[in-house]
Coordinates of all heavy atoms in Angstrom, one line a residue:
M585 N 209.3 -40.5 8.5 CA 208.5 -41.2 7.5 C 208.4 -40.2 6.3 O 208.0 -39.1 6.4 CB 207.2 -41.5 8.0 CG 206.3 -42.3 7.0 SD 204.8 -42.8 7.8 CE 203.8 -42.8 6.4
K586 N 208.7 -40.7 5.1 CA 208.7 -39.9 3.9 C 207.3 -39.8 3.4 O 206.4 -40.6 3.7 CB 209.6 -40.6 2.8 CG 211.0 -40.6 3.3 CD 211.9 -40.5 2.1 CE 213.4 -40.7 2.5 NZ 213.9 -39.5 3.0
F587 N 207.0 -38.8 2.5 CA 205.7 -38.6 1.9 C 205.5 -39.6 0.8 O 206.4 -40.0 0.1 CB 205.6 -37.2 1.4 CG 205.4 -36.1 2.4 CD1 206.5 -35.5 3.1 CD2 204.2 -35.7 2.7 CE1 206.3 -34.5 4.0 CE2 204.0 -34.7 3.7 CZ 205.0 -34.1 4.3
Q588 N 204.3 -40.0 0.6 CA 203.9 -40.8 -0.5 C 203.5 -39.8 -1.6 O 202.8 -38.8 -1.4 CB 202.6 -41.6 -0.2 CG 202.1 -42.4 -1.4 CD 200.9 -43.2 -1.1 OE1 200.3 -43.1 0.0 NE2 200.4 -44.0 -2.0
I589 N 204.0 -40.0 -2.9 CA 203.8 -39.1 -4.0 C 202.9 -39.8 -5.0 O 203.1 -40.9 -5.4 CB 205.2 -38.8 -4.7 CG1 206.3 -38.4 -3.7 CG2 205.0 -37.7 -5.7 CD1 206.0 -37.2 -2.8
L590 N 201.9 -39.0 -5.4 CA 200.9 -39.4 -6.3 C 200.9 -38.5 -7.5 O 201.1 -37.3 -7.3 CB 199.5 -39.5 -5.7 CG 199.3 -40.4 -4.5 CD1 197.9 -40.2 -3.9 CD2 199.6 -41.8 -4.8
Y591 N 200.6 -39.0 -8.7 CA 200.5 -38.1 -9.9 C 199.2 -38.3 -10.6 O 198.8 -39.5 -10.9 CB 201.7 -38.5 -10.9 CG 203.0 -38.4 -10.2 CD1 203.6 -39.6 -9.7 CD2 203.7 -37.2 -10.0 CE1 204.8 -39.6 -9.1 CE2 204.9 -37.2 -9.4 CZ 205.5 -38.4 -9.0 OH 206.7 -38.4 -8.4
K592 N 198.5 -37.2 -10.9 CA 197.2 -37.3 -11.6 C 197.5 -37.5 -13.1 O 198.6 -37.0 -13.6 CB 196.3 -36.1 -11.4 CG 195.7 -36.1 -10.0 CD 194.6 -35.0 -10.0 CE 193.9 -35.1 -8.7 NZ 192.8 -34.1 -8.6
K593 N 196.6 -38.1 -13.8 CA 196.8 -38.2 -15.3 C 196.9 -36.9 -16.0 O 197.7 -36.7 -16.9 CB 195.7 -39.1 -15.9 CG 195.7 -40.5 -15.6 CD 194.6 -41.3 -16.2 CE 194.7 -42.7 -15.8 NZ 193.6 -43.5 -16.5
T594 N 196.1 -35.9 -15.5 CA 196.1 -34.6 -16.2 C 197.5 -34.0 -16.0 O 198.0 -33.3 -16.9 CB 195.0 -33.7 -15.6 OG1 195.1 -33.6 -14.2 CG2 193.7 -34.1 -16.0
F595 N 198.1 -34.2 -14.8 CA 199.4 -33.6 -14.6 C 200.4 -34.2 -15.5 O 201.3 -33.5 -16.1 CB 199.9 -33.9 -13.1 CG 201.3 -33.6 -12.9 CD1 201.8 -32.3 -12.7 CD2 202.2 -34.6 -12.8 CE1 203.1 -32.0 -12.5 CE2 203.6 -34.4 -12.6 CZ 204.0 -33.1 -12.4
L596 N 200.4 -35.5 -15.7 CA 201.4 -36.2 -16.6 C 201.2 -35.7 -18.1 O 202.2 -35.6 -18.8 CB 201.3 -37.7 -16.5 CG 201.6 -38.2 -15.1 CD1 201.3 -39.7 -15.0 CD2 203.1 -37.9 -14.7
K597 N 199.9 -35.5 -18.5 CA 199.7 -35.1 -19.8 C 200.2 -33.6 -20.0 O 200.8 -33.3 -21.1 CB 198.2 -35.1 -20.2 CG 197.6 -36.5 -20.4 CD 196.2 -36.5 -20.7 CE 195.6 -37.9 -20.9 NZ 194.2 -37.8 -21.2
E598 N 199.9 -32.8 -19.1 CA 200.4 -31.4 -19.2 C 201.9 -31.3 -19.1 O 202.5 -30.4 -19.7 CB 199.7 -30.6 -18.1 CG 198.2 -30.4 -18.3 CD 197.5 -29.9 -17.1 OE1 198.1 -29.8 -16.0 OE2 196.3 -29.5 -17.2
L599 N 202.5 -32.2 -18.4 CA 203.9 -32.2 -18.2 C 204.6 -32.4 -19.6 O 205.6 -31.8 -19.9 CB 204.4 -33.3 -17.2 CG 205.8 -33.4 -16.8 CD1 206.2 -32.1 -16.1 CD2 206.1 -34.5 -15.9
K600 N 204.0 -33.3 -20.4 CA 204.6 -33.5 -21.7 C 204.5 -32.3 -22.6 O 205.3 -32.2 -23.5 CB 203.8 -34.7 -22.4 CG 204.0 -36.0 -21.8 CD 203.1 -37.1 -22.5 CE 203.2 -38.4 -21.8 NZ 202.3 -39.4 -22.5
K601 N 203.6 -31.4 -22.4 CA 203.3 -30.3 -23.3 C 204.2 -29.1 -22.9 O 204.3 -28.1 -23.6 CB 201.9 -29.8 -23.2 CG 200.9 -30.9 -23.8 CD 199.5 -30.4 -23.6 CE 198.5 -31.5 -24.1 NZ 197.1 -31.1 -23.9
L602 N 204.9 -29.1 -21.7 CA 205.7 -28.0 -21.3 C 206.9 -27.8 -22.1 O 207.4 -28.8 -22.7 CB 206.1 -28.2 -19.8 CG 205.0 -28.2 -18.7 CD1 205.6 -28.4 -17.4 CD2 204.3 -26.9 -18.7
L603 N 207.5 -26.6 -22.1 CA 208.7 -26.3 -22.8 C 209.8 -27.2 -22.1 O 209.8 -27.5 -20.9 CB 209.1 -24.8 -22.7 CG 208.1 -23.8 -23.3 CD1 208.5 -22.4 -22.9 CD2 208.0 -24.0 -24.8
K604 N 210.8 -27.5 -22.9 CA 211.8 -28.5 -22.5 C 212.5 -28.1 -21.2 O 212.6 -28.8 -20.2 CB 212.8 -28.8 -23.6 CG 213.8 -29.8 -23.2 CD 214.8 -30.1 -24.3 CE 215.7 -31.2 -23.9 NZ 216.7 -31.6 -25.0
N605 N 213.0 -26.8 -21.1 CA 213.7 -26.4 -19.9 C 212.8 -26.3 -18.7 O 213.2 -26.7 -17.6 CB 214.4 -25.0 -20.1 CG 213.4 -23.9 -20.5 OD1 212.3 -24.2 -20.9 ND2 213.8 -22.7 -20.3
I606 N 211.5 -26.0 -18.8 CA 210.6 -26.0 -17.7 C 210.2 -27.4 -17.3 O 210.1 -27.7 -16.1 CB 209.3 -25.2 -18.1 CG1 209.6 -23.7 -18.5 CG2 208.3 -25.3 -17.0 CD1 210.2 -22.9 -17.3
R607 N 210.1 -28.3 -18.3 CA 209.7 -29.7 -18.1 C 210.9 -30.4 -17.3 O 210.6 -31.1 -16.3 CB 209.5 -30.4 -19.4 CG 208.9 -31.8 -19.1 CD 208.6 -32.6 -20.4 NE 209.9 -32.9 -21.1 CZ 210.3 -32.6 -22.3 NH1 209.5 -31.8 -23.0 NH2 211.4 -33.0 -22.8
I608 N 212.1 -30.1 -17.6 CA 213.2 -30.7 -16.9 C 213.2 -30.3 -15.4 O 213.4 -31.1 -14.5 CB 214.6 -30.3 -17.6 CG1 214.7 -31.0 -18.9 CG2 215.8 -30.7 -16.7 CD1 215.8 -30.6 -19.8
K609 N 213.0 -29.0 -15.1 CA 212.9 -28.5 -13.8 C 211.8 -29.1 -13.0 O 211.9 -29.5 -11.8 CB 212.8 -27.0 -13.7 CG 214.1 -26.3 -14.2 CD 213.8 -24.8 -14.2 CE 215.0 -24.0 -14.8 NZ 214.8 -22.6 -14.9
T610 N 210.6 -29.2 -13.7 CA 209.4 -29.8 -13.1 C 209.6 -31.2 -12.8 O 209.2 -31.7 -11.7 CB 208.2 -29.6 -14.0 OG1 208.1 -28.2 -14.3 CG2 206.9 -30.1 -13.4
E611 N 210.2 -32.0 -13.7 CA 210.4 -33.4 -13.5 C 211.4 -33.6 -12.3 O 211.2 -34.5 -11.6 CB 210.9 -34.1 -14.8 CG 209.9 -34.2 -15.8 CD 210.4 -34.7 -17.2 OE1 211.7 -34.8 -17.3 OE2 209.6 -35.1 -18.0
H612 N 212.4 -32.8 -12.3 CA 213.4 -32.9 -11.2 C 212.7 -32.7 -9.8 O 212.9 -33.5 -8.9 CB 214.5 -31.9 -11.4 CG 215.5 -31.9 -10.2 ND1 216.3 -32.9 -10.0 CD2 215.8 -30.9 -9.3 CE1 217.1 -32.7 -9.0 NE2 216.8 -31.5 -8.5
L613 N 211.8 -31.7 -9.7 CA 211.1 -31.5 -8.5 C 210.2 -32.7 -8.2 O 210.2 -33.3 -7.1 CB 210.2 -30.2 -8.6 CG 209.2 -30.1 -7.4 CD1 210.0 -29.6 -6.1 CD2 208.2 -29.1 -7.7
C614 N 209.3 -33.1 -9.1 CA 208.3 -34.1 -8.9 C 208.8 -35.5 -8.7 O 208.2 -36.3 -8.0 CB 207.2 -34.0 -10.0 SG 206.4 -32.4 -9.9
F615 N 209.8 -35.8 -9.5 CA 210.3 -37.2 -9.5 C 211.6 -37.5 -8.7 O 211.9 -38.6 -8.3 CB 210.5 -37.7 -10.9 CG 209.2 -37.6 -11.7 CD1 209.2 -36.8 -12.9 CD2 208.1 -38.4 -11.4 CE1 208.0 -36.8 -13.6 CE2 207.0 -38.3 -12.2 CZ 206.9 -37.5 -13.3
D616 N 212.3 -36.4 -8.4 CA 213.6 -36.6 -7.7 C 213.5 -36.0 -6.2 O 213.9 -36.6 -5.3 CB 214.8 -35.9 -8.4 CG 215.0 -36.6 -9.8 OD1 214.7 -37.7 -9.9 OD2 215.5 -35.9 -10.7
I617 N 213.0 -34.7 -6.1 CA 213.1 -34.0 -4.8 C 211.9 -34.5 -3.9 O 212.1 -34.8 -2.8 CB 213.0 -32.5 -5.0 CG1 214.3 -32.1 -5.8 CG2 212.9 -31.8 -3.7 CD1 214.4 -30.6 -6.1
L618 N 210.7 -34.5 -4.5 CA 209.5 -34.8 -3.6 C 209.6 -36.2 -3.0 O 209.2 -36.3 -1.8 CB 208.2 -34.6 -4.4 CG 207.8 -33.2 -4.8 CD1 206.5 -33.2 -5.5 CD2 207.7 -32.3 -3.6
P619 N 210.0 -37.2 -3.7 CA 210.0 -38.5 -3.0 C 211.1 -38.6 -1.8 O 211.0 -39.5 -1.0 CB 210.4 -39.5 -4.1 CG 210.0 -38.8 -5.3 CD 210.2 -37.4 -5.1
E620 N 212.0 -37.7 -1.8 CA 213.1 -37.7 -0.8 C 212.9 -36.8 0.4 O 213.6 -36.9 1.4 CB 214.4 -37.4 -1.4 CG 214.8 -38.4 -2.5 CD 214.9 -39.8 -2.0 OE1 215.5 -40.0 -0.9 OE2 214.5 -40.7 -2.7
I621 N 211.9 -35.9 0.4 CA 211.7 -34.9 1.5 C 211.1 -35.5 2.7 O 210.3 -36.5 2.6 CB 210.9 -33.7 1.0 CG1 209.5 -34.1 0.7 CG2 211.6 -33.0 -0.2 CD1 208.6 -32.9 0.6
D622 N 211.5 -35.0 3.8 CA 210.9 -35.3 5.1 C 210.1 -34.1 5.7 O 209.2 -34.3 6.5 CB 211.9 -35.7 6.1 CG 212.6 -37.0 5.8 OD1 212.0 -37.9 5.3 OD2 213.9 -37.0 5.9
N623 N 210.4 -32.9 5.2 CA 209.8 -31.7 5.7 C 209.4 -30.8 4.5 O 210.1 -30.7 3.6 CB 210.8 -31.0 6.6 CG 210.2 -29.8 7.3 OD1 209.0 -29.5 7.2 ND2 211.0 -29.2 8.2
L624 N 208.2 -30.2 4.6 CA 207.8 -29.3 3.5 C 208.7 -28.1 3.3 O 208.7 -27.5 2.2 CB 206.3 -28.8 3.8 CG 205.3 -29.8 3.8 CD1 203.9 -29.2 4.1 CD2 205.2 -30.6 2.5
A625 N 209.5 -27.7 4.3 CA 210.4 -26.6 4.1 C 211.5 -26.9 3.2 O 212.2 -26.0 2.7 CB 211.0 -26.2 5.5
D626 N 211.7 -28.2 2.8 CA 212.7 -28.6 1.9 C 212.3 -28.3 0.4 O 213.2 -28.4 -0.5 CB 213.0 -30.1 2.0 CG 213.6 -30.5 3.4 OD1 214.1 -29.6 4.0 OD2 213.5 -31.7 3.7
I627 N 211.1 -28.0 0.2 CA 210.6 -27.7 -1.2 C 210.8 -26.2 -1.4 O 210.1 -25.4 -0.8 CB 209.1 -28.1 -1.4 CG1 208.9 -29.5 -1.0 CG2 208.7 -27.8 -2.8 CD1 207.4 -29.9 -1.0
K628 N 211.7 -25.8 -2.3 CA 212.0 -24.4 -2.6 C 210.9 -23.8 -3.4 O 210.5 -24.4 -4.4 CB 213.3 -24.3 -3.2 CG 214.5 -24.6 -2.4 CD 215.8 -24.3 -3.0 CE 216.9 -24.7 -2.1 NZ 218.2 -24.6 -2.7
G629 N 210.4 -22.7 -3.1 CA 209.4 -22.0 -3.9 C 208.0 -22.4 -3.6 O 207.1 -22.0 -4.3
L630 N 207.7 -23.2 -2.6 CA 206.4 -23.7 -2.3 C 205.5 -22.6 -1.7 O 205.9 -22.0 -0.7 CB 206.4 -24.9 -1.3 CG 205.1 -25.6 -1.0 CD1 204.6 -26.3 -2.2 CD2 205.3 -26.5 0.2
E631 N 204.4 -22.3 -2.3 CA 203.5 -21.3 -1.8 C 202.1 -21.8 -1.7 O 201.6 -22.6 -2.5 CB 203.4 -20.1 -2.9 CG 204.7 -19.4 -3.1 CD 204.5 -18.3 -4.2 OE1 203.4 -17.8 -4.3 OE2 205.5 -18.0 -4.9
K632 N 201.5 -21.5 -0.5 CA 200.1 -22.0 -0.3 C 199.1 -21.1 -1.1 O 199.3 -19.9 -1.2 CB 199.8 -21.8 1.2 CG 198.4 -22.4 1.6 CD 198.4 -22.6 3.1 CE 197.1 -23.1 3.6 NZ 196.4 -24.0 2.9
L633 N 198.1 -21.7 -1.6 CA 197.1 -21.0 -2.4 C 196.1 -20.5 -1.3 O 195.6 -21.2 -0.5 CB 196.4 -21.9 -3.4 CG 197.2 -22.3 -4.6 CD1 196.4 -23.2 -5.5 CD2 197.8 -21.1 -5.3
V634 N 195.8 -19.2 -1.4 CA 194.9 -18.5 -0.5 C 193.5 -19.1 -0.7 O 193.0 -19.2 -1.8 CB 194.9 -17.0 -0.8 CG1 193.9 -16.3 0.2 CG2 196.3 -16.4 -0.6
G635 N 192.9 -19.5 0.4 CA 191.5 -19.9 0.4 C 191.3 -21.5 0.3 O 190.2 -22.0 0.3
Y636 N 192.5 -22.2 0.2 CA 192.4 -23.6 0.1 C 193.3 -24.2 1.2 O 194.4 -23.8 1.4 CB 192.9 -24.1 -1.3 CG 192.0 -23.6 -2.4 CD1 192.4 -22.4 -3.1 CD2 190.8 -24.2 -2.7 CE1 191.5 -21.9 -4.1 CE2 190.0 -23.7 -3.7 CZ 190.4 -22.6 -4.4 OH 189.6 -22.1 -5.4
E637 N 192.8 -25.3 1.8 CA 193.5 -25.8 3.0 C 194.7 -26.7 2.6 O 195.7 -26.6 3.2 CB 192.5 -26.7 3.8 CG 193.1 -27.2 5.0 CD 192.1 -28.0 5.8 OE1 190.9 -27.8 5.7 OE2 192.5 -29.0 6.5
K638 N 194.6 -27.4 1.5 CA 195.7 -28.4 1.1 C 196.3 -28.1 -0.2 O 197.1 -28.9 -0.7 CB 195.1 -29.8 1.1 CG 194.5 -30.3 2.4 CD 193.9 -31.6 2.2 CE 193.3 -32.1 3.5 NZ 192.8 -33.5 3.5
S639 N 196.0 -26.9 -0.8 CA 196.5 -26.6 -2.2 C 197.7 -25.7 -2.1 O 197.7 -24.7 -1.4 CB 195.4 -26.0 -3.0 OG 194.3 -26.9 -3.2
Y640 N 198.7 -26.1 -2.9 CA 200.0 -25.3 -3.0 C 200.4 -25.2 -4.4 O 199.9 -25.9 -5.3 CB 201.1 -26.0 -2.2 CG 200.8 -26.1 -0.7 CD1 200.0 -27.1 -0.2 CD2 201.4 -25.2 0.1 CE1 199.8 -27.2 1.1 CE2 201.2 -25.3 1.5 CZ 200.4 -26.3 2.0 OH 200.2 -26.4 3.3
K641 N 201.4 -24.3 -4.7 CA 201.9 -24.2 -6.0 C 203.4 -24.0 -5.9 O 203.9 -23.5 -4.9 CB 201.3 -23.1 -6.8 CG 201.7 -21.7 -6.4 CD 201.2 -20.6 -7.3 CE 201.6 -19.3 -6.7 NZ 201.3 -18.2 -7.6
V642 N 204.1 -24.4 -7.0 CA 205.6 -24.1 -7.1 C 205.7 -23.5 -8.5 O 205.2 -24.1 -9.5 CB 206.4 -25.4 -7.0 CG1 207.9 -25.1 -7.2 CG2 206.2 -26.1 -5.6
R643 N 206.4 -22.4 -8.5 CA 206.5 -21.7 -9.8 C 207.9 -21.9 -10.4 O 208.9 -21.9 -9.8 CB 206.3 -20.2 -9.6 CG 206.2 -19.4 -10.8 CD 205.7 -18.0 -10.5 NE 206.0 -17.2 -11.7 CZ 205.9 -15.9 -11.7 NH1 205.5 -15.2 -10.6 NH2 206.2 -15.2 -12.8
F644 N 207.8 -22.1 -11.8 CA 209.0 -22.3 -12.6 C 208.9 -21.3 -13.7 O 208.3 -21.6 -14.7 CB 209.2 -23.7 -13.2 CG 209.3 -24.7 -12.1 CD1 208.2 -25.5 -11.7 CD2 210.5 -25.0 -11.5 CE1 208.3 -26.5 -10.8 CE2 210.6 -25.9 -10.5 CZ 209.5 -26.7 -10.2
G645 N 209.5 -20.1 -13.6 CA 209.3 -19.1 -14.6 C 207.9 -18.7 -14.8 O 207.2 -18.2 -13.9
D646 N 207.3 -18.9 -16.0 CA 205.9 -18.5 -16.3 C 205.0 -19.7 -16.0 O 203.8 -19.6 -16.4 CB 205.8 -18.1 -17.7 CG 206.4 -16.7 -17.9 OD1 206.6 -15.9 -16.9 OD2 206.7 -16.3 -19.1
Y647 N 205.5 -20.8 -15.5 CA 204.6 -22.0 -15.3 C 204.6 -22.4 -13.9 O 205.5 -22.1 -13.1 CB 205.2 -23.2 -16.1 CG 205.0 -23.0 -17.6 CD1 205.9 -22.3 -18.4 CD2 203.8 -23.4 -18.2 CE1 205.7 -22.0 -19.7 CE2 203.6 -23.2 -19.6 CZ 204.6 -22.5 -20.3 OH 204.4 -22.3 -21.7
C648 N 203.5 -23.0 -13.5 CA 203.3 -23.4 -12.1 C 202.9 -24.9 -12.0 O 202.2 -25.4 -12.9 CB 202.2 -22.6 -11.4 SG 202.7 -20.9 -11.2
V649 N 203.3 -25.5 -10.9 CA 202.8 -26.9 -10.7 C 201.9 -26.8 -9.5 O 202.2 -26.3 -8.4 CB 204.0 -27.8 -10.3 CG1 203.5 -29.2 -9.9 CG2 205.0 -27.9 -11.5
G650 N 200.6 -27.3 -9.7 CA 199.7 -27.3 -8.6 C 199.8 -28.6 -7.8 O 199.8 -29.7 -8.4
I651 N 200.0 -28.5 -6.5 CA 200.2 -29.7 -5.6 C 199.2 -29.6 -4.5 O 199.0 -28.6 -3.9 CB 201.7 -29.6 -5.1 CG1 202.7 -29.6 -6.2 CG2 201.9 -30.7 -4.1 CD1 204.1 -29.4 -5.7
E652 N 198.7 -30.8 -4.1 CA 197.9 -31.0 -2.9 C 198.7 -31.8 -1.9 O 199.2 -32.8 -2.2 CB 196.6 -31.7 -3.3 CG 195.6 -30.8 -4.0 CD 194.2 -31.5 -4.2 OE1 194.0 -32.5 -3.6 OE2 193.5 -30.9 -5.0
I653 N 198.7 -31.2 -0.7 CA 199.5 -31.9 0.3 C 198.6 -32.2 1.5 O 198.0 -31.3 2.1 CB 200.7 -31.0 0.8 CG1 201.6 -30.7 -0.4 CG2 201.5 -31.6 1.9 CD1 202.7 -29.7 -0.1
D654 N 198.6 -33.4 1.9 CA 197.8 -33.9 3.1 C 198.9 -34.2 4.1 O 199.5 -35.3 4.1 CB 196.9 -35.0 2.8 CG 196.0 -35.4 4.0 OD1 196.1 -34.8 5.0 OD2 195.2 -36.3 3.8
I655 N 199.1 -33.3 5.1 CA 200.2 -33.5 6.0 C 199.9 -34.6 7.0 O 200.8 -35.4 7.4 CB 200.4 -32.2 6.8 CG1 200.9 -31.1 5.8 CG2 201.5 -32.4 7.9 CD1 200.9 -29.7 6.4
E656 N 198.7 -34.8 7.4 CA 198.3 -35.8 8.4 C 198.6 -37.3 7.8 O 199.1 -38.1 8.5 CB 196.9 -35.7 8.8 CG 196.6 -34.4 9.5 CD 195.1 -34.2 9.6 OE1 194.3 -35.0 9.2 OE2 194.7 -33.1 10.2
S657 N 198.2 -37.5 6.6 CA 198.4 -38.8 6.0 C 199.7 -38.9 5.2 O 200.0 -40.0 4.6 CB 197.2 -39.2 5.1 OG 197.0 -38.3 4.1
K658 N 200.5 -37.8 5.2 CA 201.8 -37.8 4.5 C 201.7 -38.2 3.0 O 202.4 -39.0 2.5 CB 202.8 -38.8 5.2 CG 203.0 -38.5 6.6 CD 203.9 -37.3 6.8 CE 205.4 -37.7 6.8 NZ 206.3 -36.7 7.2
V659 N 200.8 -37.5 2.3 CA 200.6 -37.7 0.9 C 200.7 -36.4 0.1 O 200.1 -35.4 0.5 CB 199.2 -38.3 0.6 CG1 198.9 -38.4 -0.9 CG2 199.0 -39.6 1.3
I660 N 201.5 -36.4 -0.9 CA 201.6 -35.3 -1.9 C 201.1 -35.7 -3.2 O 201.6 -36.7 -3.7 CB 203.1 -34.8 -2.0 CG1 203.6 -34.3 -0.6 CG2 203.2 -33.7 -3.0 CD1 205.1 -33.9 -0.6
E661 N 200.2 -34.9 -3.8 CA 199.7 -35.3 -5.1 C 199.9 -34.1 -6.1 O 199.5 -33.0 -5.8 CB 198.2 -35.5 -5.0 CG 197.6 -36.0 -6.3 CD 196.1 -36.4 -6.2 OE1 195.4 -36.0 -5.3 OE2 195.7 -37.3 -7.0
C662 N 200.6 -34.4 -7.1 CA 200.9 -33.5 -8.2 C 199.7 -33.5 -9.1 O 199.4 -34.5 -9.7 CB 202.2 -33.8 -9.0 SG 203.6 -33.8 -8.0
C663 N 199.0 -32.3 -9.2 CA 197.7 -32.3 -9.9 C 197.8 -31.6 -11.3 O 197.2 -32.1 -12.2 CB 196.7 -31.5 -9.0 SG 196.4 -32.3 -7.4
R664 N 198.4 -30.5 -11.4 CA 198.4 -29.7 -12.6 C 199.8 -29.1 -12.9 O 200.5 -28.8 -12.0 CB 197.4 -28.6 -12.6 CG 195.9 -28.9 -12.3 CD 195.3 -29.9 -13.3 NE 195.2 -29.4 -14.6 CZ 194.1 -29.0 -15.3 NH1 193.0 -29.0 -14.6 NH2 194.1 -28.7 -16.5
A665 N 200.1 -28.9 -14.2 CA 201.3 -28.2 -14.6 C 200.8 -27.2 -15.7 O 200.7 -27.6 -16.9 CB 202.3 -29.2 -15.1
L666 N 200.6 -26.0 -15.3 CA 200.0 -25.0 -16.3 C 200.8 -23.7 -16.3 O 201.6 -23.4 -15.4 CB 198.6 -24.7 -15.8 CG 197.6 -25.8 -15.8 CD1 196.3 -25.5 -15.1 CD2 197.3 -26.2 -17.3
H667 N 200.5 -22.9 -17.3 CA 201.0 -21.5 -17.3 C 200.4 -20.7 -16.2 O 199.3 -21.0 -15.7 CB 200.6 -20.8 -18.7 CG 201.3 -19.5 -18.9 ND1 200.8 -18.4 -18.4 CD2 202.4 -19.3 -19.6 CE1 201.7 -17.4 -18.8 NE2 202.6 -17.9 -19.5
R668 N 201.2 -19.8 -15.7 CA 200.7 -19.1 -14.4 C 199.4 -18.3 -14.6 O 198.7 -18.1 -13.6 CB 201.8 -18.2 -13.9 CG 202.2 -17.1 -14.7 CD 203.4 -16.3 -14.1 NE 203.7 -15.1 -14.9 CZ 203.2 -13.9 -14.7 NH1 202.3 -13.8 -13.7 NH2 203.5 -12.9 -15.4
K669 N 199.0 -18.0 -15.8 CA 197.7 -17.3 -16.1 C 196.6 -18.3 -15.9 O 195.5 -17.9 -15.5 CB 197.7 -16.7 -17.5 CG 198.5 -15.5 -17.7 CD 198.1 -14.9 -19.0 CE 199.3 -14.7 -19.9 NZ 198.9 -14.2 -21.2
E670 N 196.8 -19.6 -16.2 CA 195.8 -20.6 -16.2 C 195.7 -21.4 -14.9 O 194.7 -22.1 -14.6 CB 196.0 -21.5 -17.3 CG 196.0 -20.9 -18.7 CD 196.3 -21.8 -19.8 OE1 197.0 -22.8 -19.5 OE2 196.0 -21.5 -20.9
I671 N 196.7 -21.3 -14.0 CA 196.7 -22.1 -12.8 C 195.5 -21.9 -11.9 O 195.0 -22.8 -11.4 CB 198.1 -22.0 -12.1 CG1 198.2 -23.2 -11.0 CG2 198.2 -20.7 -11.4 CD1 198.5 -24.5 -11.6
Y672 N 195.1 -20.6 -11.8 CA 194.0 -20.3 -10.9 C 192.7 -20.6 -11.5 O 191.7 -20.8 -10.9 CB 194.1 -18.8 -10.5 CG 195.3 -18.5 -9.6 CD1 196.4 -17.8 -10.1 CD2 195.3 -19.0 -8.3 CE1 197.5 -17.6 -9.3 CE2 196.4 -18.8 -7.5 CZ 197.5 -18.1 -8.0 OH 198.6 -17.8 -7.2
R673 N 192.6 -20.7 -12.9 CA 191.4 -21.0 -13.6 C 191.1 -22.5 -13.5 O 189.9 -22.9 -13.3 CB 191.5 -20.6 -15.0 CG 190.2 -20.8 -15.8 CD 190.4 -20.3 -17.2 NE 190.9 -19.0 -17.3 CZ 191.5 -18.5 -18.4 NH1 191.7 -19.2 -19.5 NH2 192.0 -17.2 -18.4
Y674 N 192.1 -23.3 -13.6 CA 191.9 -24.8 -13.7 C 192.3 -25.5 -12.4 O 192.1 -26.7 -12.3 CB 192.7 -25.3 -14.9 CG 192.2 -24.8 -16.2 CD1 193.0 -23.9 -16.9 CD2 190.9 -25.1 -16.7 CE1 192.5 -23.3 -18.1 CE2 190.5 -24.6 -17.9 CZ 191.2 -23.7 -18.6 OH 190.8 -23.2 -19.8
Y675 N 193.0 -24.9 -11.5 CA 193.4 -25.6 -10.3 C 193.1 -24.7 -9.1 O 193.3 -23.5 -9.2 CB 194.9 -25.8 -10.3 CG 195.4 -26.5 -9.1 CD1 195.2 -27.8 -8.8 CD2 196.1 -25.7 -8.1 CE1 195.6 -28.4 -7.6 CE2 196.5 -26.3 -6.9 CZ 196.3 -27.6 -6.7 OH 196.7 -28.2 -5.6
P676 N 192.6 -25.1 -8.1 CA 192.2 -26.5 -7.7 C 190.9 -26.8 -8.3 O 189.9 -27.1 -8.2 CB 192.3 -26.5 -6.2 CG 192.1 -25.1 -5.7 CD 192.5 -24.2 -6.9

């Protein structure tokens, strides 16, 4: 069973503000790769955030995508797309 993918409004707004080359990589991950995965190991560069049970990040250069993954209900929610200095301030 594939994961259900959800996108927060803040994520979509921040995605528009990213640099073009970072935005293309981020869109490829969030709109092409995530809907097709069966296993979390298929996501390259996925790192768990220390101290949070369901929070992860994927880094693209100087930018990160904040992702919440609920393995039991098979839901992935893309929450934030921020510069790596700001990801820990505003996410989770």
